[in-house]
Amino acid sequence: MVNLTIDGKAISAELGTTILKAASSIGIEIPTLCSFKDFSPDGTCRMCLVEVVGSKELEKACSTPVAEGMVVYTDTFVVRNERRQALKALMVDHKFDCMACYKYETCFFVENNANLIDFDTYKAVGTEGYADRQIDDSNPFYFYDPGKCVLCGRCIKACDHLQCSHILAGFDPEKDNIIKTFGDLPRGNTDCVSCGNCIAVCPTGALAPKKFKPFGYTKHVQTVCPYCGVGCTLNLKVVDNKITDVFSTEGNVNDNLLCVKGRFAYDFVSSPDRLTTPLIRKDGVLQEASWEEAISLVAQKLKEAKQEGPQAVAGLSSARCTNEDNYVFQKFIRTVGESNNVDHCARLCHASTVAGLAKSFGSGAMTNSIEEIDVMDVILVSGSNTTETHPVIGAKIKQRKAQGAALIVAEPRKIELANYADVYLQIKPGTNVALFNGLMRAILDAGLEDKTFINERTEGFEAFLEFMDTLTVEKCAEICGVDPEEMRKAGVLYATKDRGGIFYSMGVTQFSTGTDGVMSTANLAMLTGKIGREGCGVNPLRGQNNVQGACDMGALPGDLPGYQKTANPEAVEKFEKAWDAKLPQNTGKTLTEIIDGVGDKTIKFLYVMGENPMVSDPNTNHVKESLENANFIVVQDIFLTETTEYADVVLPAHVYAEKDGTFTNTERRIQLLRKAVDAPGVAKNDWEIIGMIAKEMGVKGFDFNSASEIMEEISSVTPSYTGVSHERLSNGDRIQWPCLSKDSEGAKFLHAGKFTRGLGAFMIADYIPPEDQADDEYPLILMTGRILEHYHTRTMTKRTPGIEAIAGDAFVEINPAKALEYGIAEGDMIHVTSPRGSVSAKTRFNDGIMENNLFMPFHYGDGGANCLTGGAVDPIAKIPPLKVSKVRITK
Ligand SMILES: Nc1nc2c(c(=O)[nH]1)N[C@H]1C(S)=C(S)[C@@H](COP(=O)(O)OP(=O)(O)OC[C@H]3O[C@@H](n4cnc5c(=O)[nH]c(N)nc54)[C@H](O)[C@@H]3O)O[C@H]1N2
Ligand SMILES: Nc1nc2c(c(=O)[nH]1)N[C@H]1C(S)=C(S)[C@@H](COP(=O)(O)OP(=O)(O)OC[C@H]3O[C@@H](n4cnc5c(=O)[nH]c(N)nc54)[C@H](O)[C@@H]3O)O[C@H]1N2
Ligand code: SF4
Ligand code: SF4
Ligand code: SF4
Ligand code: FES
Ligand SMILES: [Mo]
């Protein structure tokens, strides 16, 4: 520590600290511009000049370290004068069109320096050469106006060190003072992912969204992103009841970062296509109806269905909706519908995680928190295209890698993270179990297993070891199609680092052996003792904004809220008391079984809330047949979709920005949504609509007045949500389940000291090849998945023009060498045919996929990848094999 005085106050500060930080620690704020977070300042702006007694010149507080006995003055006449000169230098070539500028209220000049700007400086404004600096408006979402750029370099630091996309190069003060991209390309022609994280840190209007509305009645509302499971906090700027901008903030799960969807894809909320009234199909056409008509028709059909016998009612709940909506929905299907036939998209997603981790650990959720990435020494990513599907987590993994952690990637497609990996294993699709077994064999061969952990914390190891003794690294590597030495290297790297996390998603779960794949990740973590400690764990990245919550709330055929089993008489009795109702005691039908049941008419009443199975479920032709055959379908959505084409009644719902309620993100964090805008027409809250039907049916227990009231009931019956309330959340409490009391914040990581099931269980899983194998008729293997810009069935993202400009059409990725073999050029239309169906789409070349593989995003209803998928489901989790379909292609 050194002692110094700043503005007459004596302080002691750590050696090496800057004057800037030392001053800030005693509440003296020095203006800065080019200094940003902890990244080394460029020292170019001279805004932070201070007087240090004994120095001939003023010093830059941002880069001058404190010293023993130093005497600093931050606000003298000389200092103010020099800062004013620095400011003037910035302002002479600044284009001041403040009244039309994006940053008109908040720019650096206005916010921090009003007291520095004198008449002289004002007169100098914009007197020099910005005019010939071309605006770069090549990116569909934002522009760069060098005329407003103060060359602070913050955008470069954000892109390099936070987003880690490395798009921006710097500027040439000798030449033109413009921030250039690498290769000097227009931003729209670079690999810029349009995250806008540079806009968020730009102190002026130099970087700004193309679309913004500065004036009108304005409010800012903090809520949660409606897209992926990262659960980023969004600050919506609402002008005249319309979202006009989205800001990020520090200190939440996303720590000021967002991706293109969260920041820019909000147009759908105010889209003229939103459903505004209930619709009833009459003479084959959906026609506007009143709530009374629609509700009474739904109730009548529900009564009829129930008379047809038990379990004739089914519901698909929604991971897009709040916990409160999901809780009420499953309670409705179970009490009013008297059926356990309730499921949701988790069946197509992490059902194998819920089943597999329950077997291994006793509970099926991400064990770490996102912030723990910052302390991991090794990160293993497999079956997760993290930078596109969980972009903010992807950015954090890249940040951690840049700080020196090791990164292992095992993926059949060369995803972005593979470029940064210490070891990249390009495995064949469907070979995960062999991959993880190979890594474990390599660890055992090197004697790197954690014997203490295995002895103290696990069971079943001896039998597991016997099984492992039947394997060799070479055999496993051969199945995966990778070099055994690389496999060994990866295993040893993972085992020798102290703290490590495994991250996986659909590339591990969506197989007929998905549960085996999941249990293998758990085996790997336990073998090396990398679980139950900070920075160590198994992390299924949950996909949808609230899929974790929809599962927690019991929107599953065998689980009541909090994973209390429908097959457990005690649990059922507890809920019968709580809900004052008679409950069915069976395991209901899963999502795919429900679709089958609708088709064969064993299900007479299907209630779909916030899902679009006509695009998202496997084997579209089969789904279509079933829905065509249906007795009665009610769909509750925010838009007409491919699925509403088969609906008898359509009910208009509120969407996230119109709702209060909670979402639970991938790291089990329960976060509060706040209503920001009024919903269109007579649309209603999802839970309110369900309540109206219940009332019409004469069933009590649904007369809630608010989402907060619903949470009170949730917390009274769901052990892991016991301490959760809207009041706590709105007071700023941060809660990750399990939260067992009102004063608990829950758990940052799971299984500390003891697994949920007691001892962790080693589960034997041998490699079983996928049902679909390439053959003469279908020589290629198609993988399906996602791209950064679009979200699922595009109901929301297709309403943002910038996204459509980047990714408007369906496509098939093909290796250029394979395309050559078929005489196919990039952009050619090809037919892809599987045993289930056929679609057409344009080709896109990608030399990062193997020659015998294709990849198609499933987002597009037209050219829908799910016409091709299908086949036998996982025997335990009932998840369909969406990642491997045998196909053939023709031009
Ligand atoms: N932009 C965007 N983000 C999203 C979504 C979206 O629609 N759009 N959806 C959200 C949802 S619900 C989910 S579930 C997540 C899904 O997130 P991810 O699982 O990351 O996404 P996918 O593209 O389905 O598949 C990921 C990867 O699996 C790999 N893969 C295929 N076969 C295999 C295999 O045999 N082994 C291994 N190890 N990998 C394989 C593919 O290479 C692919 O890159 O994304 C969420 N985030
Ligand atoms: N081939 C292939 N198929 C897949 C996958 C794959 O990797 N490959 N992945 C699977 C996975 S992991 C998933 S999660 C599923 C996703 O499948 P879905 O859940 O069917 O897909 P979404 O497009 O998210 O559908 C959500 C629907 O809810 C509506 N909605 C949004 N917000 C609200 C709201 O607040 N209230 C109401 N009532 N409705 C709302 C939307 O308009 C949309 O119609 O797809 C699966 N299908
Ligand atoms: S939008 Fe994102 S990727 Fe593009 S330049 Fe800015 S920070 Fe970099
Ligand atoms: S664009 Fe903005 S953040 Fe980047 S150097 Fe210019 S003023 Fe600074
Ligand atoms: S990373 Fe996910 S939660 Fe965050 S802004 Fe993007 S889509 Fe939204
Ligand atoms: S903040 Fe110190 S020189 Fe820019
Ligand atoms: Mo998902």
Side-chain angles (χ1 to χ4, degrees), residues 228 261 349 382-385 388-390 410-413 415 427-432 505-507 511 543-544 783-788 790-792 859 883:
C228 88
K261 298 179 294 303
C349 187
S382 184
S384 155
N385 187 5
E388 298 204 49
T389 56
H390 294 86
E411 272 268 342
R413 276 169 87 217
I415 55 168
I427 59 171
K428 288 187 196 155
T431 62
N432 293 318
S505 197
M506 297 303 98
F511 298 90
Q544 300 250 45
M783 301 180 278
T784 61
R786 304 160 162 77
I787 56 171
L788 169 69
H790 271 306
Y791 198 82
H792 289 166
H859 303 301
K883 288 283 178 277

Side-chain angles (χ1 to χ4, degrees), residues 270-286:
S270 59
S271 160
D273 304 337
R274 282 286 301 276
L275 290 171
T276 55
T277 71
L279 304 171
I280 295 178
R281 192 172 297 280
K282 290 177 193 154
D283 308 321
V285 185
L286 286 173

Side-chain angles (χ1 to χ4, degrees), residues 144 149-155 179 202-204 206-207:
Y144 168 58
C149 179
V150 294
L151 302 170
C152 65
R154 286 171 177 237
C155 52
I179 301 288
C202 178
T204 71
L207 285 167

Side-chain angles (χ1 to χ4, degrees), residues 142 155 158-159 163 165 167-168 191-199:
Y142 69 91
C155 52
C159 190
Q163 172 58 27
S165 282
I167 302 300
L168 304 173
D191 289 337
C192 167
V193 291
S194 306
C195 62
N197 292 326
C198 51
I199 304 175

Side-chain angles (χ1 to χ4, degrees), residues 138-203:
S138 56
N139 179 288
F141 301 100
Y142 69 91
F143 60 77
Y144 168 58
D145 182 352
K148 291 185 188 168
C149 179
V150 294
L151 302 170
C152 65
R154 286 171 177 237
C155 52
I156 304 175
K157 286 174 190 140
C159 190
D160 271 357
H161 304 303
L162 299 177
Q163 172 58 27
C164 306
S165 282
H166 314 294
I167 302 300
L168 304 173
F171 66 98
D172 183 353
E174 304 294 311
K175 237 175 102 193
D176 51 10
N177 279 349
I178 291 177
I179 301 288
K180 292 276 165 56
T181 66
F182 283 106
D184 201 5
L185 298 165
R187 282 165 175 70
N189 296 3
T190 63
D191 289 337
C192 167
V193 291
S194 306
C195 62
N197 292 326
C198 51
I199 304 175
V201 303
C202 178

